[in-house]
C-alpha cells in the first residue's frame, strides 16, 4: 500500500523573481514616459516650424 501521510516539514518557499530592489532607474526609463515624449515632440515640432519659416518665408 502507498504511504499517503503528509510530511511534517514542508519545503521552504521559493524567492519570487522580480526587479532588483536597490538599482536606480536610468535615462532610458525616463525617456519612455509618455508625458516627456509628448513634451519633446511639441518642442521638436516648434523648432521644425521655426526653421522652415526661416528657410522658406524669410
Amino acid at each position: 500500500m502507498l504511504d499517503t501521510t503528509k510530511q511534517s516539514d514542508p519545503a521552504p518557499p521559493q524567492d519570487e523573481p522580480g526587479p532588483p530592489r536597490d538599482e536606480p532607474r536610468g535615462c532610458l526609463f525616463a525617456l519612455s514616459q509618455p508625458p516627456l515624449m509628448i513634451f519633446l515632440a511639441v518642442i521638436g515640432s516648434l523648432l521644425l516650424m521655426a526653421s522652415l519659416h526661416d528657410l522658406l518665408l524669410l
Side-chain angles (χ1 to χ4, degrees), residues 4-33:
T4 57
T5 58
K6 293 184 180 180
Q7 291 181 347
S8 61
D9 54 343
Q14 297 289 333
D15 290 334
E16 294 180 10
R21 294 185 181 182
D22 293 333
E23 186 174 329
R25 295 185 176 183
C27 183
L28 289 177
F29 175 76
L31 285 177
S32 68
Q33 301 302 312

Side-chain angles (χ1 to χ4, degrees), residues 33-50:
Q33 301 302 312
L36 180 62
M37 293 305 293
I38 293 171
F39 173 74
L40 292 176
V42 168
I43 296 299
S45 63
L46 289 174
L47 288 173
L48 179 66
M49 287 192 301

